[in-house]
């Protein structure tokens, strides 16, 4: 089983601050997805990273996939209250379609 | 369009009831998934359908019965559930399984409460 360790579990910051969420594994993943989920809603896809060393930007969000495709990070610049949510990384899928989810990072951005 | 729809949004049922959850996508995806999610936890895979055939059952109790009537629809039939089955049930779809870069798109979920 490929395990994904996500950290931190919880992050509370003020509006305007920066934050970084990490997703690490001892296994290589073919691709990795980042999702954001709000309470009572389904996860919304933010990005898929596929190539080792890849960096993708989505407005104030920057996603990086490690060179060895074992780790990834999500950096948010100048966080806003609308960035509040549960951030999930998910590695894979495998040939059966199974994703390996990290435990999630609850981000709270206060005005 | 990357929309997966789920109905109902909320469901309250007794332990003797029979109900069904529905999921629909019109993206031409041939793989569909059911997940169960408890509060503040990641989704847990329940079932995978690939080309309308059940390919994975993650040892889910028989009180949960999936059905894939066609390539756009996925149902989850519920019978004799327990209070611990209360959770957010998520449907997802992807183009196919078996390719390592297939992104899964999730629906908004059905919040189920079993009394």
């Amino acid at each position: 089983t490929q395990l994904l360790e996500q950290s931190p579990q919880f992050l509370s910051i003020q509006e305007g601050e920066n934050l970084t969420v990490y997703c690490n594994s001892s296994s290589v993943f073919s691709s990795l997805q980042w999702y954001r989920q709000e309470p009572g809603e389904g996860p919304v896809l933010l990005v898929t990273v596929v190539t080792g060393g890849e960096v993708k930007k989505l407005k104030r969000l920057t996603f990086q996939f490690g060179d060895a495709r074992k780790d990834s990070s999500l950096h948010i610049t100048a966080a806003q209250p609308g960035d509040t949510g549960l951030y999930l990384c998910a590695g894979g899928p495998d040939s059966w379609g199974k994703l390996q989810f990290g435990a999630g990072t609850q981000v709270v951005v206060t005005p | 369009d990357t929309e997966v729809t789920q109905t109902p949004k909320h469901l309250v049922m007794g332990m003797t009831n029979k109900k069904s959850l529905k999921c629909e996508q019109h993206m031409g995806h041939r793989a569909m998934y059911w997940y169960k999610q408890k509060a503040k936890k990641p989704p847990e895979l329940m079932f995978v359908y690939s080309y309308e055939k059940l390919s994975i059952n993650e040892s889910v109790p028989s009180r949960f019965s999936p059905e894939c009537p066609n390539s756009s629809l996925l149902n989850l039939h519920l019978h004799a559930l327990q209070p611990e089955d209360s959770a957010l049930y998520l449907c997802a779809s992807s183009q196919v399984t078996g390719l390592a870069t297939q992104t899964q798109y999730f629906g908004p979920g059905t919040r189920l409460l079993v009394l």
Side-chain angles (χ1 to χ4, degrees), chain A residues 8-9 12 23 27 38 51 56 58 74 76 78 83 85 88 95 99:
Chain A
Q9 283 188 303
S12 180
C23 201
S27 303
E38 298 190 21
T51 306
K56 282 192 174 179
L58 186 67
L74 156 61
I76 301 180
D83 296 323
L88 293 160
S95 58
L99 287 174

Side-chain angles (χ1 to χ4, degrees), chain A residues 30 35 37 41 48 95 97-98, chain B residues 9 37 58 98 100 103-104 107-108:
Chain A
S30 52
Y35 295 89
Q37 185 176 24
E41 299 291 331
T48 298
S95 58
K98 294 178 68 172
Chain B
K9 179 90 172 147
Q37 187 179 27
E58 290 287 275
T103 296
Q104 292 182 21

